[in-house]
């Protein structure tokens, strides 16, 4: 079975940092585009950052320069380093794995809460 399990969420003050990790199992991780989405209450779900098998990256404009996505294929893990956090970053963050050659293979983690507040 496919599993994506997030960790690292929590409460942090504005200007602080968090590191989110997602561990995958049951997929050939190295050939997937992997990334992070987020959804705040009353808002649409948005792509935060993604990284392809070729290590091409894309970021939401709202996080450019503050967040960094990386992957470790040996560990089947994708990480989102979040710095200079703002209250508007508060959301449920979900890990995603998408096989671009066959998009029926599209998997999600359960989500982890990130709250930025003083």
């Amino acid at each position: 079975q496919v599993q994506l399990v997030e960790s690292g969420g929590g409460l942090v003050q504005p200007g602080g940092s968090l590191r989110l990790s997602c561990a995958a199992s049951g997929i050939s991780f190295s050939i997937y585009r992997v990334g992070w989405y987020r959804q705040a209450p009353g808002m649409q779900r948005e792509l935060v950052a993604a990284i392809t098998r070729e290590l091409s990256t894309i970021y939401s404009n709202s996080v450019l320069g503050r967040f960094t996505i990386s992957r470790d294929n040996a560990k089947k893990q994708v990480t989102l380093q979040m710095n200079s956090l703002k209250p508007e970053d508060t959301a449920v963050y979900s890990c995603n794995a998408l096989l671009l050659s066959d998009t029926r293979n599209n998997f999600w983690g359960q989500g982890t809460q990130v709250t930025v507040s003083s």
Side-chain angles (χ1 to χ4, degrees):
Q1 61 184 9
V2 176
Q3 285 194 304
L4 300 174
V5 181
E6 300 100 333
S7 61
L11 175 65
V12 65
Q13 291 184 315
S17 297
L18 283 174
R19 180 176 292 168
L20 304 183
S21 294
C22 172
S25 60
I27 62 170
S28 184
F29 180 85
S30 64
I31 67 172
Y32 278 68
R33 189 197 79 166
V34 292
W36 294 90
Y37 288 73
R38 69 186 181 188
Q39 187 169 29
M43 303 284 282
Q44 295 288 114
R45 186 173 64 189
E46 65 169 339
L47 178 66
V48 179
I51 182 167
T52 68
R53 64 183 296 185
E54 298 87 14
L55 304 183
S56 177
T57 59
I58 188 164
Y59 294 92
S60 168
N61 287 336
S62 65
V63 308
L64 269 175
R66 300 188 297 121
F67 291 11
T68 303
I69 191 167
S70 60
R71 67 190 296 163
D72 185 333
N73 290 334
K75 295 180 179 179
K76 293 189 173 184
Q77 186 174 99
V78 58
T79 297
L80 186 68
Q81 177 66 46
M82 305 186 295
N83 298 326
S84 302
L85 283 160
K86 303 174 180 179
E88 52 262 47
D89 296 318
T90 296
V92 174
Y93 286 70
S94 298
C95 181
N96 171 254
L98 175 66
L99 187 62
L100 293 176
S101 61
D102 183 357
T103 60
R104 294 173 297 180
N105 296 106
N106 188 11
F107 304 106
W108 295 89
Q110 81 288 346
T112 187
Q113 178 70 47
V114 171
T115 302
V116 184
S117 177
S118 58

